[in-house]
Amino acid sequence: MSETIEKVKCLIIGSGPAGYTAAIYAARANMSPVLYQGAQPGGQLTTTNEVENFPGYPEGITGPEMMIQLQKQAERFEADVRDGWITKVDFSGDVHKVWVNDTKEIHCDTVIISTGASAKYLGLESEQKYLKLGGGVSACAVCDGFFYRNQEVVIVGAGDSACEEAHYLSKLCKKVTMLVRRDEFRASKIMAERVKNTPNIEILFNTETEEVLGDGQVVTGVKVFNNQTDEKHEIPATGFFVAIGHKPNTDIFKDYLDLDETGYIINVPGTSKTNVEGVFVSGDAADHVYRQAITAAGTGCMAALDAERWLAAKDTTFEVNTSIYN
Ligand code: NDP
């Protein structure tokens, strides 16, 4: 059952830009980091097509390619990148305990959490069915919009993400129908105005999804209802996009770390420190505002530096590698 307990100086959970950047810095600082990739190696960016706003790539780069490069860079400095899913933690004592796939136990001096956030879905059976089939349900217009060129699509949501994605889709698709469950947007005024002023976007307020319709393989339409009048109708569509926010992947930490009301880890402002000594956070797990690859990478760097300084303060035999600050 239980294997021998492994001891590590720095354990990094998650393999998006935050985790890999933390691994690069921690490895170069002699912390021998071990990084567990989680269920989606490479994180959210692996579901993204072209990344055009990460500095240093003048021609852009695909999300998966960027993640491969980040992994290679971390491994070049001997970061130990492993497959595996952290299923449980215990941050109640001086030694931070972490379990991999419910079996392997690791004791860590420092932990860097980079578990990111996942897109939310409505949870309808029909939505999940076509999502699993890869038949027309998506939570990422930028990744999948291309497949719906000159077609009609539906998007759910009323926040900045939904507006941004609806606008993106409007440039590719013949028509975009936007379902807003209240009588107003949550999005900033400028984003909402942009959507309202786009001729091929139709906005249906007070409208919710009853069922995603399909032929058993692919989406063919969406059955909606007006939540004020209960009137129902069907909208023909080949794509059903969901843009109703993200959920931070922080459930396993909730008994130990301070989380905000939506589950984002609360860090000490201006640092990557959490309320538990020796446990640090980076990337989207603590960021509901910026949620960018570059900000995740930046906070990954902060977490490694904070962890290194923390270790140096605790362990006089551990020397801070001052060269990384140059
Ligand atoms: P938000 O939480 O801001 O918005 C989620 C939207 O989804 C809300 O309009 C909500 O409706 C709707 N929604 C939630 N659940 C359902 C449901 N079951 N059925 C129908 N609709 C539902 O998430 P975002 O991802 O849009 O934004 C997150 C953060 O990121 C925000 O701070 C945002 O400003 C920021 N952001 C900024 C961007 C930019 O400035 N370029 C781009 C993208 C995001 P309701 O309003 O009724 O609650």
Side-chain angles (χ1 to χ4, degrees):
M1 238 272 297
S2 183
E3 301 169 33
T4 323
I5 295 171
E6 184 182 2
K7 196 165 175 349
V8 306
K9 246 192 196 65
C10 176
L11 186 92
I12 299 169
I13 312 175
S15 56
Y20 282 133
T21 304
I24 293 165
Y25 273 77
R28 285 169 57 79
N30 301 330
M31 291 166 77
S32 312
V34 172
L35 179 151
Y36 276 92
Q37 290 184 307
Q40 191 183 7
Q44 283 186 86
L45 270 191
T46 53
T47 63
T48 297
N49 221 346
E50 198 75 5
V51 180
E52 295 185 322
N53 54 9
F54 199 98
Y57 297 100
E59 307 304 327
I61 183 169
T62 68
E65 181 57 27
M66 184 198 266
M67 290 304 112
I68 290 167
Q69 291 195 7
L70 282 175
Q71 179 174 345
K72 279 189 185 156
Q73 193 173 351
E75 287 175 332
R76 183 179 147 215
F77 300 109
E78 295 178 4
D80 185 349
V81 177
R82 301 179 186 172
D83 277 346
W85 177 245
I86 304 302
T87 45
K88 196 169 87 167
V89 300
D90 179 353
F91 294 158
S92 60
D94 281 348
V95 173
H96 306 309
K97 299 177 182 169
V98 163
W99 283 263
V100 185
N101 300 331
D102 275 329
T103 49
K104 185 181 169 61
E105 183 175 343
I106 303 183
H107 288 185
C108 322
D109 291 334
T110 62
V111 176
I112 296 178
I113 298 168
S114 317
T115 47
S118 302
K120 285 189 199 164
Y121 289 91
L122 297 177
L124 296 171
E125 205 180 300
S126 53
E127 169 205 57
Q128 291 303 306
K129 174 179 162 184
Y130 288 103
L131 175 67
K132 287 192 186 104
L133 283 170
V137 172
S138 169
C140 180
V142 178
C143 322
D144 300 323
F146 183 78
F147 302 117
Y148 302 93
R149 274 177 308 165
N150 303 319
Q151 299 173 37
E152 298 190 10
V153 298
V154 167
I155 183 165
V156 183
D160 282 333
S161 297
C163 289
E164 200 167 72
E165 302 219 334
H167 191 252
Y168 179 86
L169 289 168
S170 73
K171 292 188 270 177
L172 295 168
C173 303
K174 194 155 69 178
K175 183 178 175 193
V176 178
T177 304
M178 196 169 184
L179 309 182
V180 175
R181 69 177 172 181
R182 291 186 293 135
D183 61 359
E184 61 177 0
F185 280 96
R186 176 177 297 273
S188 52
K189 200 161 185 287
I190 187 165
M191 303 282 273
E193 284 304 316
R194 197 207 262 180
V195 163
K196 286 180 190 164
N197 293 330
T198 304
N200 64 338
I201 299 179
E202 183 183 8
I203 303 159
L204 302 180
F205 288 102
N206 298 313
T207 302
E208 296 182 47
T209 310
E210 182 159 304
E211 188 183 349
V212 178
L213 305 169
D215 63 5
Q217 295 298 318
V218 294
V219 171
T220 56
V222 183
K223 190 173 183 182
V224 300
F225 66 97
N226 182 303
N227 56 27
Q228 302 299 302
T229 62
D230 211 24
E231 225 172 281
K232 299 182 186 195
H233 74 281
E234 291 181 9
I235 304 167
T238 49
F240 181 70
F241 288 86
V242 187
I244 60 170
H246 288 76
K247 182 184 181 309
N249 301 318
T250 56
D251 285 353
I252 57 167
F253 309 114
K254 67 177 187 309
D255 292 339
Y256 304 98
L257 299 186
D258 291 341
L259 309 181
D260 73 10
E261 66 284 354
T262 41
Y264 287 92
I265 295 170
I266 298 172
N267 57 306
V268 176
T271 77
S272 67
K273 294 176 189 168
T274 68
N275 58 300
V276 174
E277 288 280 314
V279 177
F280 305 87
V281 63
S282 60
D284 289 9
D287 173 17
H288 59 90
V289 179
Y290 301 105
R291 301 192 296 116
Q292 298 300 302
I294 188 67
T295 48
T299 55
C301 159
M302 288 166 66
L305 296 184
D306 287 342
E308 187 197 13
R309 287 170 188 175
W310 187 86
L311 260 186
K314 291 288 268 192
D315 174 1
T316 47
T317 61
F318 179 75
E319 284 183 18
V320 172
N321 176 3
T322 48
S323 67
I324 61 170
Y325 301 118
N326 299 329

